[in-house]
Amino acid sequence: MKNTNDSQEWRLLNQHYSEICNQHMRAWFAEDTNRFARFSVQCGDMLLDYSRNRILPQTITLLGQLAHHMQLPQKIESLFTGKAINTTEKRSVLHTALRDQRHTSIIINGENTANLIELARHKMRFLVNAIHTQQWRGVTNQPIAHIINIGIGGSHTGPKMSVHALKPFAITNLTFHFISSIDQTALEDVLQQINPERALFIISSKSFTTLETITNANTILAWMKARLGQHVLQHHFIAITRAIEKAIAWGLPPENILPLWDWVGGRYSIWSPIGLPLMLMIGDKQFADFLQGAYEMDEHFRYTDFEKNMPVLLALISIWYINFFNTSAQAIVPYAHALSYLIPYLQQAEMESNGKRTTLNGDEISHTTSPIVFGEEGCNGQHTYHQLLHQSTYFVPADFILIAQTASTSHHHQDILLASALSQAEALMQGKTYEEAYSELKINYPHHEANYLACHQVIPGNRPCNILLMEHLTPKNLGALLALYEHKIFVQGVIWDINSFDQWGVELGKQLLPILLKQIQQDASPSKLNSSTTALINYIKKIRGRT
Ligand code: F6P
């Protein structure tokens, strides 16, 4: 297949862009009172208002044609039916199977994924029950009080984000902690907060070779042995991994190991045993609701026409900006403290998946792919980087994620939060003209000063945002939200004709790290390195007094 941007569909979109790029959304809203009804869609508890985008009905039609040209319907079926769409690693991509309520049998390497998933879920439930009922005890016969997840990337962001988001749904008094960075201060910070006799460490690593995770696990094992003796492994450590033999070699008994599989990518693994911390916090039933929400989004994605299909629409609009408006950024702004860790979660999901430059055939891509995802929970962002969204020369689309109701009896704070989000959306869209600024200023200032200030207060507006509004932040709605973004990312990957499920760029750093580590740790001068690296290593050694 030729590069996407060689197609007739792409050319038509380019032409459409030049026709509408100078039109203002203000005018569109004024002309079309139905704009919200036309450009909004509901899925379960979630409403997507995409009316504040630089689109007309024809834009969606043309983008839909591009999606068909790139065989999106067939690709969606390939995803759900377990075709090996991760072509460079020859793997299926079956995170959707983990929440499939029909338990469809898909055979991968002679094994039925539905059975593997059910067995793993059964083991998760068994462990959760043993910990909740205090049958699982530490080596000194104390019940478990602290759960510490040791993992990085997809083995960290999902558990941390979901545990933080769903705290109000906790059914236990367990405390949850997360160690990801190799920085020892991060580790010590957590160890200071826990009682080792009541700690359970979950080593989450699909490969069981990730240097940060295994180094942290080794340090913690030594720390635990120093306090509680040699027999801590069985009572205080669980592993979640595809490399079961490596976890056994590390010393864990098989009953303390939960499986992962090749067909679940790290950044798509929260639905798998990697979600154990979440299940420990909210229990099996609510964890099932979390999966149910994702499943309902899967069904919506698989069976809804593109014009009403929430993930497809989000993806197409994003492509519209990246490839035709030439933006390379995407702000994620959850107006919910509970969703603050959604930002790093989506950074990995989006940028590790689609930060690629090669088509499935191996050709170099000549257009932009993944946006740079950044953000901050509202209202904090308003007082930091939103200035750039409103007035800079950059064009940055934003997703605002709103929650209508919280458990709190007083709505006062929530009302301000929601009003803040809507006023930001309004300001981005409307902007402020020179005339509007001047007429406000002239009340208090003489002409020349009003004129001077008005020039600085002009805000162009016409800056887009999506508003995702959910009724409550429940396990089910969180599941739906995450699945929504997963599918958005998938659709973008299909249209860009890239493999969203490998991450070769990360591997080079992993290869170089042991070489540089050796140079830092050895007494000999560094050799065969460039002058910058050599100088920096020498400088570090000098500071440490080793040379
Ligand atoms: O960052 C690269 C990566 O391979 C991610 O894709 C993955 O989520 C992370 O490292 C952790 O890998 P593992 O679960 O194998 O320790």
Side-chain angles (χ1 to χ4, degrees):
M1 190 185 286
K2 280 184 171 176
N3 247 339
T4 319
N5 57 348
D6 284 333
S7 65
Q8 169 69 359
E9 288 75 8
W10 193 280
R11 273 189 290 280
L12 288 175
L13 278 160
N14 252 330
Q15 195 183 319
H16 178 62
Y17 168 76
S18 46
E19 284 159 12
I20 71 165
C21 65
N22 291 323
Q23 298 182 26
H24 204 292
M25 282 191 278
R26 263 189 187 210
W28 290 345
F29 269 100
E31 281 159 18
D32 180 4
T33 47
N34 257 342
R35 199 170 157 84
F36 169 79
R38 202 183 301 286
F39 293 128
S40 57
V41 60
Q42 179 101 29
C43 175
D45 259 359
M46 193 126 53
L47 171 74
L48 168 63
D49 169 13
Y50 60 103
S51 61
R52 284 180 181 81
N53 278 296
R54 303 278 290 271
I55 54 166
L56 289 172
Q58 197 196 350
T59 323
I60 299 298
T61 306
L62 291 172
L63 286 163
Q65 286 169 4
L66 179 67
H68 279 283
H69 170 72
M70 295 309 291
Q71 302 180 334
L72 181 60
Q74 295 88 324
K75 297 280 173 95
I76 293 174
E77 275 317 286
S78 298
L79 169 79
F80 281 96
T81 54
K83 302 280 175 313
I85 59 173
N86 177 353
T87 49
T88 58
E89 295 176 306
K90 297 190 173 51
R91 290 177 186 167
S92 305
V93 177
L94 278 172
H95 45 278
T96 51
L98 294 162
R99 59 237 187 177
D100 176 12
Q101 304 298 307
R102 283 190 297 247
H103 310 287
T104 313
S105 295
I106 298 174
I107 309 299
I108 306 286
N109 300 329
E111 291 188 294
N112 186 337
T113 53
N115 293 345
L116 295 175
I117 292 165
E118 189 37 46
L119 276 175
R121 187 105 359 104
H122 180 74
K123 197 162 177 181
M124 283 170 82
R125 281 189 216 113
F126 180 81
L127 284 172
V128 167
N129 184 51
I131 293 161
H132 283 180
T133 56
Q134 305 195 341
Q135 288 165 53
W136 183 299
R137 298 217 162 212
V139 75
T140 58
N141 207 30
Q142 294 280 333
I144 298 301
H146 315 293
I147 305 294
I148 305 100
N149 194 80
I150 310 169
I152 199 161
S155 303
H156 164 76
T157 56
K160 183 169 177 175
M161 175 272 301
S162 55
V163 162
H164 183 73
L166 296 177
K167 243 181 227 160
F169 296 85
I171 60 164
T172 71
N173 291 328
L174 293 168
T175 66
F176 291 85
H177 309 265
F178 297 87
I179 296 173
S180 58
S181 165
I182 194 65
D183 189 328
Q184 198 159 340
T185 53
L187 187 146
E188 281 165 5
D189 187 38
V190 170
L191 296 184
Q192 270 170 21
Q193 297 174 48
I194 59 165
N195 173 356
E197 292 179 72
R198 304 191 65 184
L200 180 66
F201 298 91
I202 302 176
I203 308 168
S204 288
S205 178
K206 185 174 162 185
S207 58
F208 217 79
T209 54
T210 304
L211 187 64
E212 294 89 340
T213 301
I214 300 305
T215 307
N216 280 331
N218 285 333
T219 304
I220 289 167
L221 178 60
W223 184 85
M224 286 292 282
K225 281 183 175 171
R227 277 153 189 81
L228 302 176
Q230 293 304 306
H231 303 292
V232 288
L233 267 164
Q234 189 178 352
H235 298 269
H236 295 275
F237 289 85
I238 287 177
I240 301 163
T241 185
R242 178 180 61 93
I244 290 175
E245 70 299 340
K246 289 200 176 89
I248 291 175
W250 194 73
L252 279 168
E255 57 276 18
N256 288 29
I257 304 171
L258 285 159
L260 266 182
W261 311 276
D262 269 351
W263 35 269
V264 178
R267 51 191 176 273
Y268 298 93
S269 63
I270 183 62
W271 325 99
S272 76
I274 291 286
L276 183 66
L278 179 62
M279 197 199 258
L280 276 164
M281 187 180 80
I282 64 175
D284 173 38
K285 204 186 148 300
Q286 297 191 99
F287 189 78
D289 293 341
F290 174 66
L291 300 180
Q292 175 73 28
Y295 171 70
E296 288 177 16
M297 185 56 74
D298 292 344
E299 292 285 285
H300 167 84
F301 174 55
R302 195 170 174 183
Y303 298 115
T304 308
D305 288 344
F306 290 169
E307 315 81 68
K308 286 283 161 208
N309 190 315
M310 214 183 258
V312 172
L313 287 165
L314 276 188
L316 294 180
I317 292 167
S318 167
I319 283 180
W320 179 229
Y321 295 134
I322 294 165
N323 298 121
F324 298 92
F325 284 71
N326 286 323
T327 184
S328 43
Q330 168 72 59
I332 299 285
V333 194
Y335 275 81
H337 178 63
L339 290 177
S340 47
Y341 293 114
L342 181 68
I343 299 155
Y345 179 83
L346 291 182
Q347 279 176 329
Q348 187 196 12
E350 193 136 1
M351 295 201 274
E352 198 168 68
S353 297
N354 285 341
K356 311 282 165 67
R357 56 184 298 115
T358 315
T359 66
L360 288 173
N361 274 344
D363 298 325
E364 195 170 326
I365 289 175
S366 53
H367 55 75
T368 310
T369 54
S370 171
I372 297 159
V373 176
F374 71 104
E376 168 64 294
E377 67 176 272
C379 302
N380 296 355
Q382 288 170 218
H383 296 277
T384 53
Y385 65 85
H386 279 217
Q387 164 62 30
L388 179 144
L389 303 189
H390 291 292
Q391 270 193 316
S392 80
T393 51
Y394 293 106
F395 176 84
V396 184
D399 283 359
F400 291 161
I401 304 169
L402 277 56
I403 293 159
Q405 309 206 50
T406 62
S408 166
T409 43
S410 155
H411 292 303
H412 187 50
H413 285 251
Q414 192 64 11
D415 290 349
I416 298 174
L417 200 58
L418 292 171
S420 301
L422 294 179
S423 59
Q424 286 298 302
E426 201 56 15
L428 284 167
M429 191 275 283
Q430 292 274 3
K432 188 183 254 188
T433 63
Y434 170 85
E435 290 72 26
E436 286 165 347
Y438 181 79
S439 63
E440 281 171 20
L441 288 158
K442 75 172 186 210
I443 300 167
N444 296 318
Y445 295 94
H447 165 72
H448 70 280
E449 216 170 329
N451 172 51
Y452 174 74
L453 287 173
C455 293
H456 289 268
Q457 291 183 10
V458 170
I459 297 170
N462 219 10
R463 306 246 160 140
C465 71
N466 291 306
I467 295 183
L468 270 163
L469 174 64
M470 65 179 98
E471 217 172 297
H472 293 276
L473 182 58
T474 58
K476 190 172 168 202
N477 288 345
L478 181 68
L481 180 70
L482 303 184
L484 167 65
Y485 275 99
E486 285 179 348
H487 294 318
K488 174 208 167 188
I489 292 162
F490 172 76
V491 173
Q492 288 174 311
V494 168
I495 293 180
W496 288 324
D497 192 30
I498 57 181
N499 180 356
S500 301
F501 303 104
D502 58 12
Q503 56 282 320
W504 298 107
V506 184
E507 299 304 322
L508 178 59
K510 288 188 189 171
Q511 275 170 19
L512 293 175
L513 192 148
I515 302 169
L516 289 166
L517 179 62
K518 210 166 159 195
Q519 295 290 345
I520 290 176
Q521 290 182 333
Q522 274 174 1
D523 280 339
S525 311
S527 57
K528 288 192 200 141
L529 298 172
N530 70 55
S531 61
S532 162
T533 310
T534 306
L536 289 170
I537 290 177
N538 280 336
Y539 188 76
I540 292 165
K541 286 182 172 176
K542 193 172 154 202
I543 291 168
R544 291 174 167 188
R546 279 216 229 132
T547 55

